[in-house]
Amino acid sequence: MIETGAESLRWLGGAAYLAILLLLVPFGAHRLRLIWLRLRRPRRSAPAAWDGPLPVVTVQLPVYNEANVVARLVDAACRLDYPGDRLEVQVLDDSDDETVSIVRERAAHWRRHGVDVQHVRRTERTGFKAGALQNGLRSARGEFLLVLDADFVPPPDLLAELLPPLADPRVGAVQAAWSHLNPDDSWLTRAQALLLDAHFAIEHESRYRAGFFFNFNGSAGLWRRRCLDTAGGWRPDTLTEDLDLSYRAQLAGWRFTYRDEVRVPAELPTRIGALELQQERWAQGGIQTAIKLLPAIWRSRVRLPVRLEATAHLLGHAVHPLTLLLGTALALMGFLAPTGRFLPWWVHVLALVMATVPFVLFYGLAAHLRDVPLRRIPGRVLQAMLLGLGLGIPLAGAVARGLLGTPTPFHRTPKQGAAPASIYQARRRATSDTVRGVLGLTLTGAAANLVVAGMLPAVPFTGLFAAGYLAATRETLRS
């Protein structure tokens, strides 16, 4: 009877393993398609300069309790190289801590130097970031609006770089690439840097070259005010107001331009708790936006390839629960290995290839495009993949909350700035932390069991998952 139960579990584990692998194949294939588009599609050229009188630009700085970084942000925005009579800086300050006094002091300083700085306060934080941006829009003077999050430090020539594409009246927004202020702080920041570099250098650039929809990233983008108005403005009904508005604007017929050569540095979270907070918001908001807009996308008259790519983009976070299920299936397979070999060795090798090679190529190309030395690329790619796996458990929960419509407030990402220790701390999810640690240890035991059982081809894949969960668990304990 016990032997029959073990046999059933062995078959169940093997079947689940194969089924999940098949479900993951489209995600890997999509990465390969983006690589192909990036390498094969010609690059679009952008106008060299703005033609005609310079327009009024409003720089919007939405902040909430950003005492560590807000002075740096305000100073950088006020140092933008742009005529003073055509530049307005709005600090959209919903803070309830010392950030308010810091902004007040820096705004007064720059007003004495001739910069039009408005310190915009609200009595209630209704709508969070989306609400703050929409509130600022009501009083903004600018024909164009540059949005910068609190952890960004724009270069002085940013407006000169982003304005020229907007000479085309059909262009509604221009997005710059993000670069990084602290990429070499730790393996955690190096891995994040590569994940973001891949998003911008491959995903954004490929979609832009192919004429697909892509999104404003919430910061370092310049909007045409008329585009904001005709698309319905900022709405707080998802956690990714930037993604939501981007797709609504493009469905309304506006074109977006991406400039990968224009880089705006920002701070990378140095603690995994802060990173998870950010990534959970993006994952849950992405699913919310998919539920909200995919019906409209498929009812629209945009080209079929555009609709297909939009679907793949908006549902991209569905990979996280699938990856979590795959890790669980690997653990089950590893511990049941001595009861018999349900799958031949070549299946495990094929699984390793299918589930890892597209991502190795994807992140490897991103590292190359961002001039990472060749000898360091393998290590950076491995770090990015480990971090992606380690984040899978909390992000699977975020995807579930998005699917279930669970109300979740907009939680800001804690910033370190120049402070020796951040005064802001990310809240922890004890359940996901525990599950990640337990699964990491379980997979480690499963890998050891596979070695004993002589199933060596299955060890690398199992070990990769174990290493990802344990690396993230170690960072959690450090926090």
Side-chain angles (χ1 to χ4, degrees), residues 61 63 66-79 89-91 93 98-119:
L61 312 176
V63 299
E66 303 287 5
N68 289 344
V69 295
V70 72
R72 180 181 69 186
L73 170 70
V74 174
D75 290 350
C78 292
R79 291 191 181 109
V89 177
Q90 284 186 335
V91 188
D93 183 13
E98 60 268 43
T99 302
V100 179
S101 60
I102 296 172
V103 172
R104 187 180 299 120
E105 186 276 325
R106 297 317 296 160
H109 168 83
W110 285 107
R111 279 195 291 267
R112 290 194 296 269
H113 286 76
V115 181
D116 180 10
V117 184
Q118 304 297 321
H119 187 188

Side-chain angles (χ1 to χ4, degrees), residues 18-39:
L18 288 175
I20 297 164
L21 276 174
L22 289 174
L23 290 173
L24 285 170
V25 166
F27 292 92
H30 182 242
R31 288 291 185 268
L32 293 176
R33 174 166 167 72
L34 289 172
I35 291 172
W36 184 85
L37 290 171
R38 178 62 175 77
L39 296 176

Side-chain angles (χ1 to χ4, degrees), residues 289-405:
T289 304
I291 294 171
K292 175 182 177 180
L293 295 182
L294 278 178
I297 290 169
W298 280 96
R299 287 194 304 267
S300 73
R301 295 185 178 182
V302 298
R303 296 180 298 121
L304 178 60
V306 175
R307 281 180 280 169
L308 289 171
E309 179 58 32
T311 303
H313 181 197
L314 293 177
L315 293 178
H317 288 289
V319 73
H320 301 302
L322 289 175
T323 304
L324 174 57
L325 289 172
L326 182 59
T328 305
L330 280 170
L332 181 61
M333 289 282 290
F335 276 105
L336 294 174
T339 67
R341 289 180 172 84
F342 170 71
L343 300 173
W345 66 269
W346 58 265
V347 173
H348 300 288
V349 174
L350 185 62
L352 182 64
V353 170
M354 288 194 315
T356 61
V357 168
F359 295 93
V360 169
L361 294 175
F362 187 73
Y363 296 125
L365 176 59
H368 171 70
L369 292 171
R370 288 298 189 255
D371 298 319
V372 175
L374 184 61
R375 69 182 186 279
R376 294 182 180 174
I377 289 178
R380 297 288 175 88
V381 170
L382 178 60
Q383 289 172 342
M385 293 181 69
L386 292 178
L387 180 58
L389 288 169
L391 292 174
I393 293 175
L395 297 192
V399 169
R401 291 193 294 276
L403 289 171
L404 295 172

Side-chain angles (χ1 to χ4, degrees), residues 275-284 287 317-321 324 387-402 429 432 436:
L275 174 62
E276 287 177 355
L277 200 64
Q278 175 197 74
Q279 296 293 321
E280 286 179 26
R281 188 175 70 244
W282 293 354
Q284 183 172 347
I287 295 298
H317 288 289
V319 73
H320 301 302
L324 174 57
L387 180 58
L389 288 169
L391 292 174
I393 293 175
L395 297 192
V399 169
R401 291 193 294 276
R429 291 191 183 276
S432 62
R436 182 166 51 202

Side-chain angles (χ1 to χ4, degrees), residues 92-420:
L92 308 176
D93 183 13
D94 286 346
S95 304
D96 55 16
D97 68 353
E98 60 268 43
T99 302
V100 179
S101 60
I102 296 172
V103 172
R104 187 180 299 120
E105 186 276 325
R106 297 317 296 160
H109 168 83
W110 285 107
R111 279 195 291 267
R112 290 194 296 269
H113 286 76
V115 181
D116 180 10
V117 184
Q118 304 297 321
H119 187 188
V120 182
R121 299 275 293 154
R122 298 190 294 168
T123 55
E124 294 183 7
R125 196 180 169 220
T126 306
F128 305 105
K129 181 182 175 181
L133 289 168
Q134 190 66 23
N135 179 63
L137 188 61
R138 297 189 184 100
S139 59
R141 294 194 294 118
E143 179 185 352
F144 299 99
L145 299 104
L146 174 68
V147 180
L148 293 165
D149 279 346
D151 49 335
F152 281 71
V153 183
D157 64 347
L158 181 59
L159 288 175
E161 293 285 359
L162 296 184
L163 263 177
L166 288 158
D168 183 343
R170 297 169 297 179
V171 174
V174 182
Q175 175 68 53
W178 296 1
S179 58
H180 321 293
L181 292 170
N182 57 329
D184 295 317
D185 278 4
S186 65
W187 82 271
L188 187 65
T189 56
R190 286 190 292 272
Q192 289 177 71
L194 185 52
L195 292 173
L196 286 170
D197 289 343
H199 173 69
F200 284 98
I202 301 180
E203 290 189 63
H204 263 16
E205 183 70 20
S206 298
R207 290 178 180 129
Y208 175 53
R209 291 187 185 193
F212 295 154
F213 288 177
F214 68 93
N215 62 293
F216 163 65
N217 290 92
S219 185
L222 185 63
W223 284 85
R224 187 187 301 273
R225 182 174 188 144
R226 192 159 62 87
C227 172
L228 289 170
D229 291 339
T230 58
W234 301 100
R235 296 176 183 171
D237 54 345
T238 75
L239 292 178
T240 46
E241 73 295 321
D242 44 9
L243 180 64
D244 170 44
L245 179 55
S246 298
Y247 269 78
R248 283 191 280 114
Q250 288 168 103
L251 281 170
W254 290 97
R255 298 182 181 179
F256 279 26
T257 296
Y258 173 62
R259 300 206 62 188
D260 190 63
E261 68 277 15
V262 180
R263 314 278 170 79
V264 184
E267 177 184 305
L268 296 164
T270 57
R271 298 291 182 182
I272 196 167
L275 174 62
E276 287 177 355
L277 200 64
Q278 175 197 74
Q279 296 293 321
E280 286 179 26
R281 188 175 70 244
W282 293 354
Q284 183 172 347
I287 295 298
Q288 290 172 331
T289 304
I291 294 171
K292 175 182 177 180
L293 295 182
L294 278 178
I297 290 169
W298 280 96
R299 287 194 304 267
S300 73
R301 295 185 178 182
V302 298
R303 296 180 298 121
L304 178 60
V306 175
R307 281 180 280 169
L308 289 171
E309 179 58 32
T311 303
H313 181 197
L314 293 177
L315 293 178
H317 288 289
V319 73
H320 301 302
L322 289 175
T323 304
L324 174 57
L325 289 172
L326 182 59
T328 305
L330 280 170
L332 181 61
M333 289 282 290
F335 276 105
L336 294 174
T339 67
R341 289 180 172 84
F342 170 71
L343 300 173
W345 66 269
W346 58 265
V347 173
H348 300 288
V349 174
L350 185 62
L352 182 64
V353 170
M354 288 194 315
T356 61
V357 168
F359 295 93
V360 169
L361 294 175
F362 187 73
Y363 296 125
L365 176 59
H368 171 70
L369 292 171
R370 288 298 189 255
D371 298 319
V372 175
L374 184 61
R375 69 182 186 279
R376 294 182 180 174
I377 289 178
R380 297 288 175 88
V381 170
L382 178 60
Q383 289 172 342
M385 293 181 69
L386 292 178
L387 180 58
L389 288 169
L391 292 174
I393 293 175
L395 297 192
V399 169
R401 291 193 294 276
L403 289 171
L404 295 172
T406 304
T408 305
F410 186 105
H411 293 292
R412 58 175 291 283
T413 305
K415 320 294 192 308
Q416 184 72 33

